[in-house]
């Protein structure tokens, strides 16, 4: 095999070794149960409904964390009722609000691959860590 052929073979093998790690994210069509499970594990009060997925209509964001790990970020607008304490319980109160939710997925974290943060994505402020949108 010539020098070009062996280099191409090495690149081909490396590409396919990395493929399972970076292509195993879930599509927006199948993410609802994962959001619900992650929410229930991290947030003590439930949300009522998902009002919108894929807030900016660009897809799932491939993003570089400060530690150089690559994660995927899903965006949601969820509706959550207001709650108030009543004696020793927390009960639903009148009204509620819509909240912007970011569901992070780290394919290399086998113990806790998903976590939630609240707030918007700011592409202008954080441009260097945005890699691309997928799906």
């Amino acid at each position: 095999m010539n020098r070009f052929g062996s280099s191409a073979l090495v690149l081909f093998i490396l590409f396919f070794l990395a493929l399972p790690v970076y292509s195993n994210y879930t599509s927006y069509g199948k993410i609802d149960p994962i959001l619900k499970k992650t929410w229930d594990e991290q947030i003590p009060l439930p949300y009522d409904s998902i009002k919108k997925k894929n807030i900016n209509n660009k897809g799932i964001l491939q993003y570089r964390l400060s530690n150089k790990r690559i994660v995927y970020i899903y965006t949601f607008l969820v509706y959550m009722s207001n709650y108030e304490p009543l004696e020793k319980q927390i009960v639903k109160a009148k009204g509620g609000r819509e909240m912007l939710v970011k569901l992070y997925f780290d394919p290399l974290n086998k113990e806790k691959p998903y976590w939630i943060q609240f707030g918007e994505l700011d592409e202008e402020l954080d441009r260097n860590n945005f890699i691309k949108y997928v799906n």
Side-chain angles (χ1 to χ4, degrees), residues 9-61:
L9 180 62
V10 168
L11 287 174
F12 183 75
I13 290 170
L14 288 175
F15 173 76
F16 277 102
L17 287 175
L19 190 60
V21 173
Y22 292 107
S23 66
N24 58 355
Y25 58 88
T26 303
S27 70
Y28 268 110
K30 298 178 182 178
I31 199 69
D32 292 11
I34 296 170
L35 174 64
K36 173 94 172 92
K37 180 178 184 288
T38 306
W39 183 285
D40 290 345
E41 290 170 355
Q42 294 180 10
I43 315 295
L45 299 171
Y47 64 85
D48 294 298
S49 63
I50 298 172
K51 293 291 189 180
K52 184 173 181 180
K53 300 180 209 177
N54 192 10
I55 300 300
N56 61 9
N57 295 318
K58 292 182 179 180
I60 302 160
L61 174 62

Side-chain angles (χ1 to χ4, degrees), residues 34-132:
I34 296 170
L35 174 64
K36 173 94 172 92
K37 180 178 184 288
T38 306
W39 183 285
D40 290 345
E41 290 170 355
Q42 294 180 10
I43 315 295
L45 299 171
Y47 64 85
D48 294 298
S49 63
I50 298 172
K51 293 291 189 180
K52 184 173 181 180
K53 300 180 209 177
N54 192 10
I55 300 300
N56 61 9
N57 295 318
K58 292 182 179 180
I60 302 160
L61 174 62
Q62 196 176 39
Y63 182 84
R64 182 180 303 105
L65 296 175
S66 59
N67 63 3
K68 306 298 182 203
R69 296 273 298 258
I70 304 297
V71 297
Y72 296 90
I73 302 176
Y74 301 81
T75 57
F76 300 89
L77 185 63
V78 301
Y79 181 81
M80 186 173 175
S81 295
N82 289 331
Y83 290 87
E84 64 185 10
L86 181 65
E87 296 177 16
K88 294 185 178 185
Q89 298 179 13
I90 296 177
V91 296
K92 277 189 180 183
K94 290 183 180 178
R97 65 178 173 221
E98 293 179 343
M99 299 171 34
L100 290 169
V101 176
K102 297 177 289 195
L103 177 66
Y104 286 74
F105 169 56
D106 181 351
L108 298 178
N109 186 339
K110 300 303 178 198
E111 292 179 25
K112 193 173 179 184
Y114 293 95
W115 68 93
I116 290 174
Q117 290 185 355
F118 296 99
E120 298 181 34
L121 294 170
D122 191 340
E123 289 188 54
E124 291 301 315
L125 178 66
D126 202 16
R127 178 181 327 184
N128 294 333
N129 292 324
F130 278 56
I131 298 173
K132 66 179 178 180

Side-chain angles (χ1 to χ4, degrees), residues 1-13:
M1 191 178 290
N2 65 23
R3 184 175 176 181
F4 174 76
S6 62
S7 297
L9 180 62
V10 168
L11 287 174
F12 183 75
I13 290 170

